Amino acid sequence: MFNDMPPITRALLASNVLVFFLQWMLGDPTFFPFMLWPLGEHAGLLGGMPVTVEFLPWQLVTYGFLHANLAHLFFNMLALVMFGGQIERVWGSRRFALYYVVCVAGAGLVQLVVATLTFRDTGNPYPTIGASGGVFGILLAFAILFPHARLMLIIPPIPMKARTFVILYGLLELFMGVFYRGSGVAHFAHLGGMAFGFLLIQYWRGRWPFRRPRPRA
């Protein structure tokens, strides 16, 4: 099954799993410079130990290869394998790779703003990690490419069109982001991955808000 995956999907799966096991062996503090932190330099206690952390530009991408636990990794990689491979086969590896990176970085930019504003309110810096921004961008792309594909939900176990699923999921993320900001889940990062993915697809298609002028006769 692994060898049957398109190359970028396979590389993303392998790299995420490899980095997760490095986290497990070396410990999270080793990877603090690669997690996404609020703007500025911050000193505080994390896991009972004093640390100094700061935002660094490469974190907008590297945070997407780190995960909090095995379940976090599993569900992100499951979505990547289920939907990413199909998208890569349609778009080709180069375009799919660019799309994924843009979604991860776009989600990171949105979360950077949210985390920085939250830090100003609470004084408690927290890192953002996970491939969810890229995964949510993949879900959006799948719904655009295959809007009538049937997805079977787990809870509740009902079939639903991909387009309907993504719209409802996006609305749920918006609701959770507004009313459950302290849940420990980066809901606005998920929305950011969708938003930047949508903008990139619209740019490729020459549609709103990137309408290309029609040639004059």
Side-chain angles (χ1 to χ4, degrees):
M1 179 180 177
F2 182 77
N3 291 331
D4 293 335
M5 297 178 193
I8 298 302
T9 302
R10 184 169 62 243
L12 288 172
L13 175 63
S15 59
N16 275 274
V17 171
L18 174 62
V19 171
F20 177 78
F21 281 104
L22 288 175
Q23 275 185 267
W24 177 67
M25 289 187 295
L26 302 177
D28 282 344
T30 303
F31 293 88
F32 281 169
F34 304 101
M35 298 177 181
L36 181 61
W37 296 94
L39 288 173
E41 185 176 280
H42 317 287
L45 292 174
L46 284 172
M49 60 181 295
V51 296
T52 300
V53 295
E54 62 179 326
F55 168 73
L56 299 165
W58 59 76
Q59 294 170 1
L60 290 171
V61 174
T62 57
Y63 84 96
F65 292 87
L66 301 165
H67 289 84
N69 50 52
L70 188 59
H72 191 201
L73 173 73
F74 174 78
F75 286 109
N76 276 338
M77 294 303 99
L78 179 63
L80 171 67
V81 172
M82 287 178 62
F83 304 110
Q86 297 187 61
I87 296 169
E88 184 176 351
R89 291 185 181 95
V90 173
W91 280 347
S93 296
R94 182 178 298 181
R95 176 164 287 200
F96 177 70
L98 174 61
Y99 180 82
Y100 186 84
V101 171
V102 167
C103 289
V104 169
L109 283 171
V110 173
Q111 181 62 18
L112 180 63
V113 174
V114 172
T116 301
L117 293 175
T118 301
F119 169 71
R120 290 176 181 175
D121 292 337
T122 65
N124 183 32
Y126 63 89
T128 299
I129 56 176
S132 300
V135 166
F136 272 75
I138 286 174
L139 288 176
L140 176 83
F142 184 85
I144 290 175
L145 292 174
F146 309 102
H148 302 294
R150 290 279 179 172
L151 304 179
M152 177 61 74
L153 305 185
I154 298 176
I155 301 175
I158 58 174
M160 186 178 297
K161 289 184 178 180
R163 180 172 55 192
T164 304
F165 171 77
V166 168
I167 291 172
L168 292 178
Y169 207 171
L171 291 174
L172 176 62
E173 287 294 318
L174 179 60
F175 175 82
M176 296 293 289
V178 172
F179 295 103
Y180 294 91
R181 293 180 61 183
S183 65
V185 179
H187 297 289
F188 284 107
H190 301 168
L191 292 170
M194 283 184 162
F196 275 79
F198 174 76
L199 290 173
L200 183 56
I201 291 172
Q202 292 296 92
Y203 174 75
W204 284 338
R205 291 181 167 184
R207 297 180 182 177
W208 179 93
F210 306 102
R211 292 190 184 276
R212 295 170 186 166
R214 294 181 179 178
R216 296 182 179 179

